[in-house]
Amino acid sequence: MQTSRRSFLGALGRVTIGAAASVAGAGGAGQAAAGAPAPHWGMVVDLRKCIGCQACTVACIMENHVPEGAFRTHVSVYEVVKAGEDPAMVMLPRLCNHCDDPPCIPVCPVEATFKAENGEVLVDASKCVGCAYCVQACPYDARFINHETQTADKCTFCFHRTQAGLLPACVETCVGGARNFGDLNDPESAVSKMLAANKVSVLRPEMHTNPNVYYIGLEEILDGRVAGEAAWHPPFDPSAHAPEGL
């Protein structure tokens, strides 16, 4: 069963975005202390706190004017069935992973996709010719061709907000506090401390892209489940795909 974006947006109703929160406190997001390395942005998603409310999805659509039928981020929902256990609903927030070794960059014939100073993978729409090579190269199914602009589109970590010292819209709006954003170069940042204190996983580790989106509590059987744009996926039985004993 698949649910269209319009139907689940209607079910959620109106989302009110609270007062803008700062990425780096009073110092602002884009300002590094004298002699300190520039911020390298990353996200840690605590799946233990995600309730699948799709507030992040709605906030992203509203903030970035994402066209109908497309997502820059959304929460996939799976029903996981393990032998001897009751079925469990598992949430998997997904977005561009802003890789340190992004396969989308070398395939771009016009160098429209590039890596920004603070680690974001961005698209220069003035150069993009809409060939979709980058869409096909992305192992996270996180890109699409915007049917209004005819150029490649994706999550930017809300570049326009972080440059102004604000959090990405999805992080600011996360009801359960599952999405956490900050400077991976700063050992005192909340995200760095979360990485140090928890076992974390990434999606598609076999691709060796060195992603900057990390997950706490990710079921190993789901680390490759990134295909498709639907906000809902059919029940998934890991026993049919996993080694015996999972």
Side-chain angles (χ1 to χ4, degrees), residues 42-45 93 95-98 157 201-203 211-215:
M43 186 178 292
V44 178
V45 182
L95 65 158
C96 171
N97 279 235
H98 296 276
F157 271 165
S201 306
V202 296
L203 297 179
N212 288 298
V213 175
Y214 300 87
Y215 293 87

Side-chain angles (χ1 to χ4, degrees), residues 23-158:
V23 175
Q31 305 297 323
H40 189 86
W41 300 134
M43 186 178 292
V44 178
V45 182
D46 190 342
L47 298 178
R48 300 169 298 183
K49 297 181 178 180
C50 180
I51 60 175
C53 66
Q54 303 289 357
C56 54
T57 307
V58 177
C60 175
I61 291 169
M62 294 171 64
E63 178 71 29
N64 297 292
H65 310 291
V66 181
E68 177 69 28
F71 300 90
R72 285 187 174 193
T73 187
H74 72 272
V75 182
S76 297
V77 183
Y78 299 92
E79 183 180 71
V80 174
V81 181
K82 295 182 181 180
E85 299 182 14
D86 292 333
M89 303 309 297
V90 177
M91 315 302 171
L92 183 58
R94 289 173 44 203
L95 65 158
C96 171
N97 279 235
H98 296 276
C99 312
D100 285 338
D101 296 298
C104 54
I105 289 182
V107 301
C108 181
V110 293
E111 299 183 346
T113 293
F114 64 99
K115 190 82 169 163
E117 179 184 7
N118 299 131
E120 307 97 332
V121 176
L122 304 177
V123 178
D124 185 342
S126 69
K127 294 182 178 180
C128 181
V129 295
C131 67
Y133 289 167
C134 63
V135 175
Q136 298 174 52
C138 176
Y140 305 105
D141 198 22
R143 287 172 168 255
F144 60 95
I145 297 299
N146 186 313
H147 63 76
E148 295 179 355
T149 64
Q150 296 302 308
T151 58
D153 204 337
K154 58 178 285 298
C155 161
T156 64
F157 271 165
C158 280

